[in-house]
């Protein structure tokens, strides 16, 4: 019985050593992956900021509503060309309120 208990204790010690080695390996791999993630996040942020600088940081968000009944027949000043482009026409008027004429 003592021999059986000693053999069990030795197997348990070996399993404990294997588990410790596996844990150390997992911790090292986790630290490596965290370092890679941090580097990739920094790279992504740098690329995003560079892209914004290249595109320009002016962003305009608008929504074109349908004409109201009282606006029917008036000149349309905003049109949606596509999903990302809106064209706005500026109506220039003179001091007395009449439309300016091009010369």
């Amino acid at each position: 019985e003592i021999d059986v208990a000693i053999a069990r204790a030795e197997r348990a010690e070996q399993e404990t050593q294997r588990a410790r080695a596996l844990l150390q390996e997992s911790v090292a791999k986790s630290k490596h992956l965290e370092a890679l993630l941090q580097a990739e996040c920094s790279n992504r942020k740098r690329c995003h900021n560079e892209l914004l600088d290249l595109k320009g940081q002016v962003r305009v968000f608008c929504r074109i509503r349908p004409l109201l009944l009282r606006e029917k027949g008036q000149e349309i000043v905003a049109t949606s060309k596509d999903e990302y482009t809106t064209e706005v026409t500026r109506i220039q008027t003179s001091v007395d309120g009449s439309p300016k004429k091009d010369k």
Side-chain angles (χ1 to χ4, degrees):
E1 292 179 23
I2 293 177
D3 291 336
V4 173
I6 291 172
R8 266 195 230 158
E10 288 175 354
R11 281 192 301 248
E13 183 64 34
Q14 289 173 353
E15 287 179 25
T16 302
Q17 288 176 357
R18 275 188 251 133
R20 283 184 180 149
L22 184 60
L23 177 63
Q24 288 176 348
E25 183 181 319
S26 296
V27 167
K29 188 173 183 179
S30 175
K31 286 181 181 181
H32 175 70
L33 290 174
E34 285 178 8
L36 283 176
L37 176 64
Q38 182 65 33
E40 288 302 317
C41 285
S42 296
N43 189 35
R44 183 195 60 78
K45 187 174 184 178
R46 182 188 58 76
C47 288
H48 177 72
N49 289 336
E50 187 176 325
L51 176 67
L52 288 179
D53 288 341
L54 291 173
K55 286 174 63 176
Q57 293 192 9
V58 176
R59 295 180 183 262
V60 177
F61 295 94
C62 70
R63 178 180 155 283
I64 299 176
R65 65 169 173 75
L67 291 174
L68 300 174
L69 289 176
R70 68 175 189 258
E71 296 171 330
K72 296 288 184 190
Q74 294 180 2
E75 185 176 347
I76 297 174
V77 295
T79 55
S80 180
K81 287 185 151 188
D82 58 37
E83 186 177 345
Y84 303 104
T85 307
T86 300
E87 185 176 271
V88 178
T89 306
R90 191 172 105 185
I91 301 172
Q92 296 182 350
T93 57
S94 62
V95 178
D96 64 357
S98 62
K100 274 189 172 181
K101 295 181 181 175
D102 292 333
K103 293 182 180 183

